[in-house]
Amino acid sequence: MMSYSEVEYKGLSYLKRGNIEIIIIILIELLAILFTYLMEYLGLPTPLQEFLVLLPSSAVSTLLTILTYLDIQRGFYTLGKAEVNIGIGNIISSLFLVLSILAIVGVVTYTLSLVFNGITSSILNPIQTLLELFAFITFIMLGFSYRLIGNHYGSNHLSIGGIVLILGVIIFIFKLEYGGLLAFIGLIITYIGLGNLSAVKRPVTTPPQASSTPIEITSSTNVSSSSSTPNITAHGGILRSNGEAFIAVSSDIEEEILSSIILNTDYSTNEITPKALSKGYNSIKINFNTNLQQLTPGNTYTIRLILANGRNVDINVAFQP
């Protein structure tokens, strides 16, 4: 199973933390509603309910919304640095920023209305409407992003959870209460998916002492027998039916990658990201730009990297349909 780079792991961890913060916000609001009903049953006055339950829960939810924005923004930004760019990360970060600002304005307005009794529902209602509108848009876009990330990493939990989240929000928009429950289930599924990715596929931060896969060296230049050959270690990877491959290599040198081929096939490409090995751990994406359905699912194939210095690096990859 392929390891992720340290940058990818950090990005996924930020998204996972943002996801659990959203779940906590929903739970806080549900508890606030429950306590409000309980206080009404006990006959406590409405102002007391607002000061003891609604205002504190709104303040805590607003703080968590700000933290969610920071974690989601860091998550997409960090994944972008690792060449995992889903295209809508900046849009979602901006939506969460607007949502945070609206939440702050809403809490401040609500507090002033309780203290001074001079702010009526004519001000609070439009803010509440805007908050709900941006929340719907934000969660729909977040569901799409989870689906894209799930497709990228081959995570069914993320892909399915993203779809369930989108459907739940759309159903809830039409005032069907069970849509909220469906969206909540979608968030839980995506949290499980992010947890599986970050828990199982931990990053390799230091190269192992011995190579786990063979490295074939073919050089057109003479190398002195007394000189030591720089170590390049292949950690394995995955190959997908859409022609994309993700491999991991540790290197003691910096060297340009000219091209890549799948041994014993006619597939080759020079569409490789990044285009050069750097010292340390390298997470590399290769696109063969063709459908590989004719390969056998579950089989292991060998991808060869052809370097500018004449060396070949062979990496064993598992084929996933």
Side-chain angles (χ1 to χ4, degrees):
M1 185 175 290
M2 175 184 158
S3 298
Y4 296 145
S5 68
E6 181 72 24
V7 176
E8 287 176 281
Y9 176 70
K10 287 182 178 179
L12 292 170
S13 298
Y14 281 131
L15 292 182
K16 178 186 174 185
R17 191 163 64 189
N19 188 284
I20 194 62
E21 287 162 352
I22 296 172
I23 292 175
I24 294 174
I25 291 172
I26 295 174
L27 291 176
I28 289 174
E29 294 303 318
L30 290 175
L31 286 175
I33 294 173
L34 178 62
F35 279 115
T36 300
Y37 283 140
L38 180 60
M39 295 177 77
E40 287 180 354
Y41 177 78
L42 296 175
L44 297 177
T46 300
L48 189 61
Q49 297 175 24
E50 293 177 332
F51 273 108
L52 293 182
V53 178
L54 298 180
L55 182 58
S57 65
S58 299
V60 173
S61 295
T62 298
L63 176 60
L64 286 173
T65 301
I66 297 171
L67 295 177
T68 301
Y69 156 67
L70 294 174
D71 285 328
I72 293 294
Q73 191 273 336
R74 290 169 183 163
F76 286 119
Y77 174 76
T78 306
L79 286 179
K81 290 171 61 177
E83 305 294 337
V84 183
N85 193 344
I86 63 172
I88 59 175
N90 291 335
I91 297 175
I92 296 172
S93 298
S94 300
L95 287 171
F96 268 105
L97 176 60
V98 174
L99 200 59
S100 301
I101 295 172
L102 287 173
I104 294 172
V105 173
V107 167
V108 172
T109 306
Y110 184 43
T111 304
L112 293 176
S113 70
L114 295 178
V115 174
F116 299 106
N117 293 320
I119 299 178
T120 65
S121 59
S122 62
I123 298 178
L124 287 173
N125 287 344
I127 295 176
Q128 182 67 24
T129 301
L130 279 175
L131 194 61
E132 291 178 356
L133 175 63
F134 273 92
F136 291 148
I137 297 173
T138 301
F139 285 119
I140 289 175
M141 296 297 290
L142 186 64
F144 275 117
S145 73
Y146 284 145
R147 175 164 172 74
L148 292 173
I149 295 173
N151 290 341
H152 177 85
Y153 287 107
S155 170
N156 290 331
H157 277 103
L158 269 180
S159 299
I160 295 173
I163 295 174
V164 173
L165 175 59
I166 295 169
L167 291 176
V169 173
I170 292 175
I171 293 173
F172 189 76
I173 290 175
F174 292 97
K175 306 301 181 181
L176 299 176
E177 297 301 327
Y178 58 83
L181 177 60
L182 189 63
F184 186 70
I185 293 174
L187 286 170
I188 293 176
I189 296 174
T190 55
Y191 178 77
I192 293 173
L194 290 168
N196 289 341
L197 288 177
S198 57
V200 176
K201 300 183 178 182
R202 291 292 180 119
V204 177
T205 55
T206 57
Q209 297 299 316
S211 174
S212 59
T213 54
I215 299 177
E216 178 181 307
I217 303 175
T218 57
S219 177
S220 58
T221 58
N222 294 325
V223 179
S224 172
S225 58
S226 62
S227 63
S228 60
T229 302
N231 182 46
I232 302 177
T233 303
H235 300 300
I238 58 174
L239 176 65
R240 296 194 178 125
S241 58
N242 62 359
E244 292 183 341
F246 300 88
I247 61 174
V249 175
S250 294
S251 175
D252 290 344
I253 61 172
E254 297 180 355
E255 189 59 60
E256 181 183 1
I257 305 172
L258 298 180
S259 61
S260 177
I261 62 174
I262 303 176
L263 295 186
N264 301 318
T265 72
D266 296 327
Y267 302 122
S268 63
T269 185
N270 58 4
E271 189 172 326
I272 304 168
T273 306
K275 294 288 292 183
L277 293 178
S278 59
K279 291 184 179 179
Y281 184 86
N282 295 265
S283 180
I284 302 171
K285 176 181 178 181
I286 304 171
N287 192 347
F288 289 96
N289 291 311
T290 187
N291 191 293
L292 305 177
Q293 292 289 353
Q294 62 270 35
L295 298 184
T296 305
N299 279 8
T300 298
Y301 294 88
T302 301
I303 290 180
R304 171 169 292 175
L305 296 181
I306 301 173
L307 307 182
N309 63 1
R311 297 179 66 174
N312 295 337
V313 182
D314 291 348
I315 305 97
N316 291 333
V317 295
F319 180 66
Q320 299 180 358

